[in-house]
Each structure stands twice: as C-alpha cells, then as structure tokens.
Amino acid sequence: MKPIYLIGPTAAAILILGLACQTHGSGEAEMAPLESDTVEAAFTDFAAFAFPPTLPDDDSHRDSWTRTDCLNCHETGIQDAPVVTHEGMPSVLLTAKCRSCHVLIPGSVPRSMIPEGG
Amino acid sequence: MQIHRRDFVKLSAATTAAAVASGSALSARPKTESKDDIRWAKSVCRFCGTGCGVQLGVSGRHLVALRGDPEHPTTKGLVCAKALFLPKIIQAPERLRYPRIRSRGKLVRATWDEAMELTAERFASAIREHGPNSVAYYGSGQALSEESYLANRLFKGGIGTNNVEGNPRLCMASAVGGYVSTYGKDEPMGCYDDIEHAKTFFLIGSNTAECHPVIFDQIMARRRVGDRANVIVVDPRRSPVGTISDIYLQPIPGFDLALLHGMAQVIIAERKYDEAFVKKNVQFKAVVDGTPKKVGFDGYREFMQDFTPEKAAKICGVPAQDIVRAARMFVQGPTMSFWTMGLNQRITGVWANNLVHNLHLLTGQIGKPGATPFSLTGQPNACGGVRDTGSLCHILPYGRVVKKAEHREQIEKLWGCKPGTIQAKPGLHTIEMFRALGRDEVQAMLVLTTNPGHSLPNATVHREAMGKPRKNKPFMCVIDAYPTRTTELADVLLPAAVWAEKAGVFGMSERRYQYQPDVIDPPGESRSDFDFLLDFAGRLEGKGVVPAGFISAKFKNADDVWEEMCEASRDTAYDFTGMTRERLKQERGLRWPTPTEDHPGTARRFVKGEDPLLDSGPYANPDLKPGELEFYAAPDKRATVWLRPIKPPAEPPDEDFPFVLSTGRVLEHWHTGTMTRAAPELRRAQPEAYVEIHPDDAQGLGVNNGDMVRIVSRRGEAKMRAKVIPMPRPGMVFVPFHWEDDDSLINRVTLDAYDPGSKQPEFKICAVRLAKA
C-alpha cells in the first residue's frame, strides 16, 4: 500500500507544502544533499518542512504543466508515485499547477528507479 | 495578524502524527517545537507584479518560513516556488554586508561615512562643474514606493535634473504608452477579480505559466468550472501556456500587429462590434504628418480593408481561418486580455498595446466584470513605485508630466521648490542615459536596487560606459543586496536591506498598494535605500547643491513621505488620500482610487457606481447611471481606437544573421537571477543558460540536444547548450536571460533599438546566427 501523506487539519490555511509529498517518500529525488538542505541546517535556520520538495527529472514530470497531468499518477499511485492529497489545504490551492511550487531538478531520478543498494 | 506558537505546535503535532502513520522519518520535528515562539506577519512577495499576499513565519528577528496568505483578497494563498524560497534567498551567505570603495582597481571595505562622503562629494562636484544634468539616478521597480518617491523628489526638485529613470523603462514603458494614448492615464482599469468573471482569456506575448504562475493558476481554475472559459494564446514561441489553450497562434516575431488588426477586421465585417458602446465612448484617430487626426469609424473601417484575414495572414504568418476563429472567440465575452514583454519589448510596443485596447473598445469588452485589458507587470513595485510616483524622466507624481507648466507648478508648490526648479524638458531616458554615461556627459550616476550591467540590451557597450577605466570616467554608486554584474563596476558599493528587512509600500499590477513590515534585521551593516537617500540628501544639502532642509527638514522616516505622497495624489485620477498608513498596516492592500478613509478601494475605474471619482471631485459626473462608463481622463472623455501601420522590427533576420533571437524567463528564476540563484533548489532546477532551437533548424545546423552553440549578433556573442525542442517557431531561437557569466550573458547579443514613443528597447527581436561551438 502506498503511503498517503497528509498535512494536518490545522494546516487549513497553510501553504507549507513540505509534508504533503515530502522528500522521504518513495518518489523522492535521490541526490547528494546540499549543505543548506540538511536536516540540521533546516532546523538551525528554518521551520521544518518550510520548503516544497523538488521533483525528479523524468519525462512525465518534465511535461506536466497542469495539475491533472500530475494527478494522473499522484492521485492513483501508479508508477510508484507517492499519493498526495494535500488534505486540509484551502481549495484554491488545489487549483494550482503543482510546478508552481515544486521545482524539477535536472538529472535527479525517482527513488523507485534506483536499484536496491544502488 | 499573528498566529502564535500553539497553532504552530498543533500543526506540527498533526503533521508528525501523519508522518508516523505513513512510516516517514521526521525525527527532527520536535526541535522546531522547542524553538522560540513563531509569529506570522502578513506581507507581500518580493518578486513579480502579481503582488501575492504572503505570511512570514518569524522567530525572534529570524525568518524561518513563508506561506501564501489565504486571507489575501485576490491571490487567496496562492504563491509560486520563488516566493516559497524567499526565506533562504534573503538569508543567503552571498548577501553584501559592508560598504566598499574602489581603490587601485579593487573594491575595498570602507565605513558608511567614508562611502557616503565620497559619493556626495562626487555628485556635488559634478553638479557644480557641469550643472545638474551631469548627474543621474537609475532606480527600480523593486524599491519601495517611498524610496522611489524620495529619490525622484531629490533629483527633480532638489538637484534640478530630470535624469531620473528606472528599470520599468525596460519592461513596462510601452504598456504605459498604450494606456495613456488610449485612455488618457496610465494603469489598468480592471482588477484580478475579473478573472473569476471572464468567459474568454486572450493571452498575448505572455508566458503566464512561468512568469506569473499565480495568475496562470487562477485562469486554469476557470477552465475547470462548469462554464468553462476559453483561452486564446498568441506567442511566436509555444510556451507552457499552450497546455490550457483552445487556440494557439504563433505569428512571425514582430508582425502580430497584423494579426490584431485582422481580428478587428473580422469583428467589424461580421458586425460583432458593440455599436452603442463605440458611439458613446470611442473616437478613432490616425497619425497624419506627425499629428493625430480624428478619422471616424468609417475611416477606421476603410483602413481595415488592408487587414482582411487573408491579407493579415500573409503579413503575420498565422493562417486566415485561425485569425477568424480567434476573433469569433474573442467576442464571446466577458473577455479579459493579459500581456507582458512580448508586446512591450518592441519598437512597436505602444502600437501593439493600442491594438489590444482596440479589440476591447470595439467589442465593449471593458468596464464590466470579467471584461478588461490588463497589462501584467514583472516587478513588485514598478506600478506603485515608479510609474505612479512619476520616477521616470518625463513624468511627475500621479499622472503629471514635466512638459506641462501646470503640473510642474503643482509639484513645485507641494515640494517647496523655487518656481522653475523642475525642468520642462524630459531628462535622458534609460538607453540614452547610459549612452551619455559612455560619452562622459553624465558624470555621476546612482544605481539603486537594479542590475543594468546584466539587464541592459547591447550590454557590452553599456557595461563599458559604467566600468571601463578612462580619464574622467564617470562615478558610479551602486546600492544592492547581492553581488551582481553591476556591483562589480561600482566606484562605491553599498549593502542594501531588502524586503522583510525594511517597511514600506509596494503597488502591484491591479492598483493595489500593500504594506510590507520589517520583521527581521538586515545582515552586517546593510541599510535600507530609504536610509541611504535621507543621508545622501542631507550631505548634498550640506554641500550647497540641494536647498538646505529640502529633504532633511521634512522627512524622518517613510511614514512622513507617505503622507506627502497621499497629498500629491489629491484631486488626481489616482487619488489615494484615504489610504492612511494605519489602514495599510491593517488591511491586505487597497486599490486606488481611495479618496476617503472609509472608502474600500476601487475594483474598476471609469465605471459609475464603482469609481468614486465619478461621484465627487474634478472628474465627477452626476448624470451617469450606475454601470455606465466614462473615460474621464481622456480627451473628450472618449477612449481612442488608433489606426496603426505595420512596421518591421529594427533588425529583421537576413542572410548573414538568419535567426530571430527572443529572450525571456523561466519559472524558477527571476530577472537577472541574483536572488533566485541564491536558493539551492532553484539554482539546481535551472542551473545554466540554454538556447531553445526548433528541431527543423537544429537538423539544418547539425546541432543535437546538449551541444554547445554560439549565438552571434552584430553586437556580440554568447555560448550555451542547445535545447532542441519545438517551442520556438522555426527560424526563431529563445534564451532565458537569468545567468550572468560572460558566455551566458545573452544581453551582449540583444539590441538596444527602442520604441520612439515609450523608449522601451526591443529585447524580443534581433537577428543572430548560430553555430556549433
């Protein structure tokens, strides 16, 4: 069963997107963390999950410019995509295209594509 | 508004629970709960002119998070990635922290007093020896309104020069020219609320999906509701906006005027124009022998015979049947048009703007919910800060112009100037200002919160003007928060406070003025531009080149300046005298006109029942019925439909330079990239420059995806990787302009020809050749 990531109900008015499809999920981009991306740095400088996770670089993400494009996989969980609900967020935010906030990192690959132990 | 720690803890607890439930490892989360209280303050995004409301999560004097503000009346909590990464950007290690003075070719650390004294002395000596027009100010649509107003006041009223410019000249001047020549005054009459009412969206020269993502998201939402909106897109490059379009037209770069005329011709021929509206509110004019002449509707109809769809198609390269389809869809109103640099950055920028207005005026798609022509802006405060405060070389605050004696007198009186202080002749506009700098005619220049060493077209020439060592080289003082391709050319470099580090007002595209608070401290010895300007003015007063007390005796802080700004707007078409500082601090912005303290702001100008200026004051008309329009600022109170001829770009492609180069932006970066590259995620998302080449062209050139390619024009060259993709039209290439290394600096290639009316350069079109590097 695919994990379902939720923002808590008290986050109704909040656009901290981090946990909604946060970077520890099975679709996480695999890359060396930058200094300021480390958990330690995040807690030194910024609130937890203050920043939206990035997208891995593959055809499906590159060509996704509407929310429908993204939900084809992220609503159903096909292709090992983490199911994202953004539960509790104001409805207007659910009209936005995902790439308004989630930037795609060239060269990064989905974790599901990395061989075990690789 | 503040949201306290208990709310944040609740959120943390809920999200932690969810994370545990999902098996995610979020072990560090409790550390956040142990931090000091986090409070949330309302503010405004620092990037484009959309003006998204944001909330800043602040712990002590430290910015720890940002989120969209769901209580914001028009952006409703939507933001884009650039805003979300602002906390990292503003606290990036590359921030400038200390003043520097050039010594033996290097910028070395100095005290504020040393740097300020040197700057003031160089300006004072230039004014004494060469007169007031030997100095210049080059400002920004990113400075606060109070800062731009103060700089404008100091230079035009204190020093006595109209050499006051700003980077909005590069991005919005043609939109201003379009509004002023059509309606008599600048700035859109509609608002973002109109998005919710529009049936048809006409997007021309605007990659809204990347450059104004929140507007795009709102348009996209209108595609999902029952009464699904239509979207027509016009752009020679097939941008991501195409993902939501019904009709996508790709005209030959520079020839979309024929397309717009063609659409108007169809509307007339099929009698789909609004005859009653036209009769009451519109006049038709052509320029004959350099003078505007009224030609009447019949004259216009006759002129349009040269633009039947078939004739227009031959000029613009869009099939005739598509022109007809677009025209028929356009009239399915309410219709809202959006445009940006694709129209503005052209030598025919004003004319292209006029022709969009023509479509709205012919069809009466204006002044009703969902029906409006709306120019989107690229900077957070180009409208409120530069256009409205009159901080360009030819204008004065709130719709006044330097050429009109009455306007000069009004402002001289308000500012307490000796009569005749403000010159009647416009100063140097941006391109001519930098050319004059290169000829050493401008001897001292102040560059504030902008990066002309990167952003000016034909950059090599203008970079040499700013920085090339020579006898009598002009003096350059640059104020910025980050190192840029301009700060490296400075003689004095001052570290600036930015955004949440200073308080003041931003005015965004829909006439909404919004207050941003200072919630954190600037790094090192950085100071706000406002503090700099007060200090600078005081020193110039001390040296006798500005009347004693002209600035120093009147203003101690930005609040004082705001009071005078409100007064300057009184009885003008901008009247915001009811927009007190306290209201702005409490409310999420107000749209002018706001003439009284109990007025809620104006959604639609020129409409009886909505625009308070039609009820009282110099523009009042008691005879109008609610909902009726009156273009009160225009000659004869009628908007003008202009008959504009077709004019080719300044540098069309030819045998030697067979491709058209167009430049633009990507979603992840903003303008010259000095801020967005400071966020690791954004930097990695778009790490380097590239050139988009159509596959047909790439094949002819023998270029494959990823090959290094030289892009050469008559002015210079750049080198970057090829992205072979069918986005630009064949024969056209596209380069985003965000990257600053010499190879990526595409403005070394672009052209500084400019629109004769708006003086805005033609960034969007120049001729280049390509070769594998």
Side-chain angles (χ1 to χ4, degrees), chain A residues 58-92:
Chain A
D58 55 24
D59 286 346
S60 58
H61 288 108
R62 264 195 303 274
D63 298 337
S64 296
W65 277 97
T66 67
R67 188 173 171 77
T68 311
D69 296 335
C70 304
L71 293 184
N72 283 337
C73 298
H74 288 283
E75 203 166 48
T76 59
I78 63 169
Q79 297 190 52
D80 286 333
V83 173
V84 176
T85 63
H86 289 92
E87 187 174 303
M89 292 175 75
S91 59
V92 66

Side-chain angles (χ1 to χ4, degrees), chain B residues 442-490:
Chain B
V442 167
Q443 271 292 300
M445 183 184 271
L446 175 60
V447 175
L448 185 140
T449 318
T450 186
N451 185 9
H454 181 145
S455 61
L456 287 174
N458 192 12
T460 305
V461 169
H462 301 304
R463 288 179 54 76
E464 285 182 2
M466 285 182 262
K468 189 177 177 182
R470 56 197 186 269
K471 195 182 169 192
N472 296 326
K473 179 195 165 297
F475 172 81
M476 286 269 298
C477 173
V478 179
I479 308 167
D480 209 309
Y482 299 85
T484 70
R485 294 304 305 265
T486 306
T487 59
E488 69 185 9
L489 305 173

Side-chain angles (χ1 to χ4, degrees), chain B residues 237-273:
Chain B
R237 172 175 175 256
R238 194 171 177 89
S239 78
V241 181
T243 55
I244 62 163
S245 66
D246 297 288
I247 298 175
Y248 203 107
L249 309 177
Q250 289 182 273
I252 300 166
F255 291 93
D256 49 6
L257 274 72
L259 166 65
L260 294 163
H261 274 325
M263 288 172 63
Q265 200 279 337
V266 172
I267 288 165
I268 293 168
E270 298 188 355
R271 296 194 68 82
K272 291 195 164 101
Y273 59 95

Side-chain angles (χ1 to χ4, degrees), chain B residues 554-571:
Chain B
K554 297 195 174 175
F555 308 113
K556 298 294 175 217
N557 53 47
D559 292 5
D560 300 339
V561 175
W562 183 255
E563 271 186 40
E564 186 178 286
M565 292 166 71
C566 288
E567 198 51 40
S569 78
R570 186 181 298 281
D571 289 338

Side-chain angles (χ1 to χ4, degrees), chain A residues 38-53:
Chain A
T38 61
V39 168
E40 192 52 45
F43 285 106
T44 303
D45 297 323
F46 302 111
F49 312 109
F51 306 102

Side-chain angles (χ1 to χ4, degrees), chain A residues 5 10 13-15 19 22 31 34 36-37 39-40 43 45-47 49 51 92-93 95-97 100 104-106, chain B residues 11 15 24 26 28-29 31-32 62 64 67 70 76-77 79-81 84 88 209 217 220 224 680-681 684-685:
Chain A
Y5 301 104
T10 48
I14 292 181
L15 187 57
L19 196 59
Q22 42 87 8
M31 62 188 72
L34 294 175
S36 55
D37 283 342
V39 168
E40 192 52 45
F43 285 106
D45 297 323
F46 302 111
F49 312 109
F51 306 102
V92 66
L93 301 180
T95 65
K97 71 180 188 294
S100 288
L104 185 148
I105 305 295
Chain B
L11 162 66
T15 49
S24 298
L26 299 170
R29 177 170 292 276
K31 281 183 78 173
T32 299
H62 198 67
V64 295
R67 64 194 186 194
K76 299 183 172 78
V79 285
C80 75
L84 290 166
K88 285 190 182 183
D217 288 340
M220 202 166 65
R224 270 198 292 276
E681 291 86 347
R684 289 189 305 180

